[in-house]
Amino acid sequence: MAMVETDLQGVVEDAAAHLYVWALKDIPQDLRDALAEALTRETSVPGRRVLETIVRNVAVADEEKNLVCQDTGIAVYTCRVGEGFPLHPAGIYEALKTGTARATLEHPLRSNAVHTITRENTGPNIGHRLPIVHWEFIADWDGLDVKCVPKGSGSENMSFLKMCVPADGVKGIKQFVLESIVGAGGKPCPPGIVGVGIGGSADYAMYLAKEAIARPIGTRNFDPIVARLEDELYQLLNETGIGPMGLGGDVTVLQCHIEHADTHMTLNPVAVNYQCWAARRASVHVSADGTVDFDREA
Ligand code: SF4
């Protein structure tokens, strides 16, 4: 009997093309719930008006099957690749790149990618090292998970890193997070998710901050010490009074998530990455046989 080979690279490409557009149009339920809950907490008139507009904006995007925001961002993917997945990461990267370009051309979406010095457009949301792909490799598994997080520039521009010293301790971490968000004010389209990365090294702390913003809203770090810091910062950030879109109010952030890594005894890096209210994310699980299972809430 003739064997029919699955075009796994084509499957991943199709999945990426769908993921990017889906993430941009249909926000996860946990974000919808967080925005609705924010509206019940907000007492300032301008703050309520902003939140009502955001909720209405989401409803219009649903009705018209359109984007929740015009800034289609840059596509950032996180891949969890099982050691037995029968497509090499080079093939996965190629599929993600082609899928991103196809989504941009077929929808069509705004093409945001430019050369970082000449500022000339480099293609349909692709270019040198674009899209951005992060990798994790998983033992004893033959599947592939891909999460797509389109990141708008308004919130990505509000990214901050400080190499605190160990003597600064947790106080230094809290102070830097608060200073960063107060300094950002309304620029990153609040209320959103404050992602904090602590430990590791300078580059890894920022990676962890990005990982933190891509978690379902309100999930807590597995380490109870870190989870307590998430609770504390969430409270403190909402006491700043910045409010929705920086117009003043009770709801400055929907959540604060922290990811951490152990670090060198002389290091205490802290990275802050802001995710605007349009916290778009979408995931797909691809099996070794080419079966795909899209997952809105991962
Ligand atoms: S920061 Fe977010 S909500 Fe604001 S314009 Fe950019 S993508 Fe849209």
Side-chain angles (χ1 to χ4, degrees):
M1 197 171 77
M3 293 283 288
V4 180
E5 276 198 24
T6 307
D7 173 14
L8 214 44
Q9 188 159 329
V11 168
V12 177
E13 180 185 314
D14 287 346
H18 177 70
L19 268 190
Y20 189 21
V21 175
W22 186 36
L24 291 169
K25 289 183 171 180
D26 176 13
I27 59 170
Q29 189 58 47
D30 54 86
L31 175 58
R32 293 168 188 265
D33 294 344
L35 289 166
E37 197 269 335
L39 197 45
T40 66
R41 282 193 287 133
E42 184 55 70
T43 56
S44 95
V45 173
R48 287 190 60 79
R49 204 170 292 143
V50 166
L51 288 169
E52 281 162 3
T53 305
I54 290 173
V55 169
R56 176 80 189 117
N57 179 102
V58 172
V60 170
D62 286 343
E63 284 159 22
E64 300 189 358
K65 299 195 179 349
N66 214 332
L67 312 176
V68 293
C69 182
Q70 43 73 37
D71 186 353
T72 51
I74 45 175
V76 181
Y77 297 96
T78 301
C79 291
R80 297 175 69 251
V81 191
E83 66 173 336
F85 188 68
L87 178 63
H88 190 275
I92 297 173
Y93 186 81
E94 202 49 43
L96 296 180
K97 192 163 192 164
T98 313
T100 303
R102 263 183 48 203
T104 305
L105 295 169
E106 287 168 8
H107 189 272
L109 303 171
R110 190 175 80 183
S111 188
N112 305 312
V114 298
H115 185 284
T116 198
I117 290 179
T118 67
R119 313 309 289 181
E120 279 174 21
N121 192 277
T122 54
N125 284 317
I126 59 171
H128 178 55
R129 295 180 171 157
L130 279 184
I132 295 165
V133 183
H134 301 293
W135 302 95
E136 278 177 55
F137 297 97
I138 314 293
D140 301 325
W141 188 48
D142 64 358
L144 166 71
D145 289 344
V146 182
K147 182 185 278 193
C148 175
V149 178
K151 195 67 166 57
S153 63
S155 60
E156 186 66 9
N157 271 327
M158 297 298 105
S159 304
F160 309 93
L161 173 71
K162 183 171 182 185
M163 300 306 283
C164 288
V165 295
D168 294 330
V170 181
K171 190 165 166 257
I173 295 172
K174 287 192 264 191
Q175 187 174 339
F176 181 62
V177 174
L178 283 163
E179 282 170 3
S180 299
I181 299 308
V182 169
K187 284 185 230 159
C189 296
I193 305 166
V194 173
V196 180
I198 51 177
S201 55
D203 59 326
Y204 201 55
M206 188 55 79
Y207 169 78
L208 293 171
K210 295 296 286 282
E211 193 176 284
I213 57 109
R215 276 175 20 203
I217 294 189
T219 48
R220 285 290 172 248
N221 191 290
F222 72 88
D223 183 328
I225 298 171
V226 180
R228 274 201 297 279
L229 186 57
E230 289 177 321
D231 286 337
E232 190 180 352
L233 279 171
Y234 171 59
Q235 297 294 339
L236 289 171
L237 288 163
N238 276 323
E239 286 170 20
T240 59
I242 295 166
M245 294 293 162
L247 298 181
D250 309 298
V251 184
T252 296
V253 300
L254 297 175
Q255 257 308 336
C256 177
H257 295 164
I258 305 176
E259 289 293 329
H260 71 293
D262 296 335
T263 190
H264 189 287
M265 66 174 102
T266 64
L267 287 176
N268 188 12
V270 190
V272 177
N273 185 256
Y274 199 91
Q275 170 58 62
C276 59
W277 72 263
R280 299 160 294 190
R281 65 176 207 274
S283 298
V284 66
H285 310 288
V286 184
S287 303
D289 65 2
T291 311
V292 296
D293 180 15
F294 290 100
D295 186 345
R296 156 50 72 234
E297 307 305 329

